């Protein structure tokens, strides 16, 4: 293995090529002389004349010149280019050296650069955290605004519902319509000395029903009850309404106490048979009913008094154990 430094090789090769060319320039004519002499000798002719020697000398000269030209073109020139290429490569500075002198400063520079990059990454992370916090704050603000808007919307919805005449959940008349109808029908009954029955119906343990089956099932139950009431009381003069929550009323012009009681008792049974919400409930949904009836024999001073009498009867039904109909005194 060579002990010379790789840095010395191109200079040395160039020198060797120069020396090789010199040797070839000397050696080729000599070899040609020998070759021609051997050739003449092999022919075994007479001793050479001066003209013959001159001709041979020219021949050797021409042959040598041609050979040197070929060697120059095919061998020496490519080799010189190769050597020049090696020298050019040597002149390019190496990006990394393994010698001890350059390595330490370069390492320091690299470490410094890495340090700066880490600092930049930390800065960027901090900025992103700030941006995320800002975003979170905006989100909280917007959520609060949304909550406020929802509360306002709900208040408006309630106000609108009170102005409307239909209960939005069940589709039957609402309290507003009922109040008007009660005043109107009471006056009519008074005027005509007719009959007017009023029933207040309140579903039993509905809070528990909601808790057991869910609020949606509770809504569905309220709709089923409203539908049942509408089916049972469908004369033109009848009015069923939802007063709110799980409380309904039935206003029955022309009905006395006994007549209304009969219809309401069968309705109570029908409701029990509904087996809400999905038919699998062990505990059927029941209703308590308070019934009051105005008649010439049993007049009330006002529509409000009639309603109060029905409410009191309902109260009694609830306190007597629910799932029953109670008549006003
Ligand atoms: N699903 C549903 N539930 C309602 C609605 N309105 C009121 N409620 C619920 O009805 C329940 C009424 O509860 P309470 O007033 O304690 O009456 P209750 O549980 O039926 O008890 P009693 O009347 O004493 O038999 C409450 O849980 C209300 O949330 C409604 O529109 N839909």
């Amino acid at each position: 293995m060579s002990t010379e430094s790789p840095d010395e090789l191109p200079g040395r090769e160039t020198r060797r090529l120069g020396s090789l060319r010199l040797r070839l320039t000397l050696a080729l004519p000599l070899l040609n002389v020998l070759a021609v002499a051997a050739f003449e000798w092999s022919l075994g002719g007479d001793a050479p004349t001066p003209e013959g020697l001159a001709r041979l000398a020219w021949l050797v000269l021409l042959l040598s010149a041609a050979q040197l030209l070929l060697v120059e073109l095919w061998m020496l020139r490519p080799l010189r280019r190769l050597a020049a290429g090696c020298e050019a490569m040597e002149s390019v500075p190496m990006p990394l050296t393994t010698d001890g002198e350059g390595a330490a400063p370069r390492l320091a520079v690299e470490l410094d650069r890495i340090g700066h990059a880490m600092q930049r990454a930390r800065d960027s992370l901090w900025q992103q955290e700030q941006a995320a916090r800002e975003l979170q704050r905006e989100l909280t603000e917007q959520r609060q605004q949304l909550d406020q808007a929802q509360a306002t919307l709900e208040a408006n919805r309630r106000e609108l519902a009170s102005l409307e005449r239909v209960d939005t959940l069940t589709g039957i008349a609402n309290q507003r319509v009922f109040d008007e109808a009660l005043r109107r029908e009471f006056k009519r009954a008074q005027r005509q000395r007719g009959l007017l029955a009023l029933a207040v119906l309140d579903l039993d343990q509905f809070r528990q029903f909601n808790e057991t089956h869910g609020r949606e099932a509770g809504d569905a139950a309220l709709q089923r009850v409203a539908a049942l009431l509408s089916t049972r009381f469908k004369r033109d003069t009848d009015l069923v309404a939802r007063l709110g929550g799980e409380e309904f009323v039935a206003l029955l012009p022309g009905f006395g106490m006994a007549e209304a009681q009969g219809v309401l008792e069968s309705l109570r049974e029908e409701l029990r048979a509904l087996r809400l919400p999905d038919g699998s409930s062990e505990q059927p949904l029941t209703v308590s009913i308070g019934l009051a009836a105005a008649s010439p024999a049993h007049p009330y001073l006002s529509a409000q008094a009639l309603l109060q009498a029905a409410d009191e009867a309902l109260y009694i039904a609830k306190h007597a154990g629910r799932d029953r109909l109670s008549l006003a005194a």
Side-chain angles (χ1 to χ4, degrees), residues 177 179-189 191:
V177 175
D179 288 343
E180 289 172 7
L182 177 60
R183 280 196 296 272
R184 190 180 59 242
E185 292 303 326
F186 186 83
K187 277 185 191 158
R188 194 203 307 271
R191 217 174 32 244

Side-chain angles (χ1 to χ4, degrees), residues 202-203 205-207 210 215 219 242 245-246 318 322:
D202 190 284
L203 298 178
Q205 312 284 23
F206 198 59
R207 180 184 300 276
N210 269 336
R215 182 119 187 146
D219 284 353
R242 181 180 174 220
E246 82 291 21
K318 286 279 183 187
R322 300 181 177 84

Side-chain angles (χ1 to χ4, degrees), residues 138-156:
E138 278 177 22
L139 208 64
T140 310
E141 264 178 25
Q142 283 180 4
R143 202 171 291 150
Q144 282 168 352
Q145 283 174 4
L146 192 70
D147 285 349
Q148 265 177 6
Q150 274 176 339
T152 311
L153 199 69
E154 179 61 20
N156 290 344

Side-chain angles (χ1 to χ4, degrees), residues 4-21:
E4 292 168 336
S5 156
D7 292 349
E8 295 171 18
L9 282 174
R12 187 169 171 231
E13 292 305 325
T14 307
R15 281 199 307 279
R16 273 186 183 168
L17 285 174
S19 151
L20 179 63
R21 184 164 54 178

Side-chain angles (χ1 to χ4, degrees), residues 10-11 13-22 24 68-69 71-88:
E13 292 305 325
T14 307
R15 281 199 307 279
R16 273 186 183 168
L17 285 174
S19 151
L20 179 63
R21 184 164 54 178
L22 184 66
L24 284 171
L68 280 172
L69 187 66
V71 166
E72 174 67 24
L73 286 176
W74 290 351
M75 198 171 84
L76 293 177
R77 192 175 287 179
L79 284 174
R80 260 202 313 281
R81 281 195 192 134
L82 193 63
C86 289
E87 281 168 2

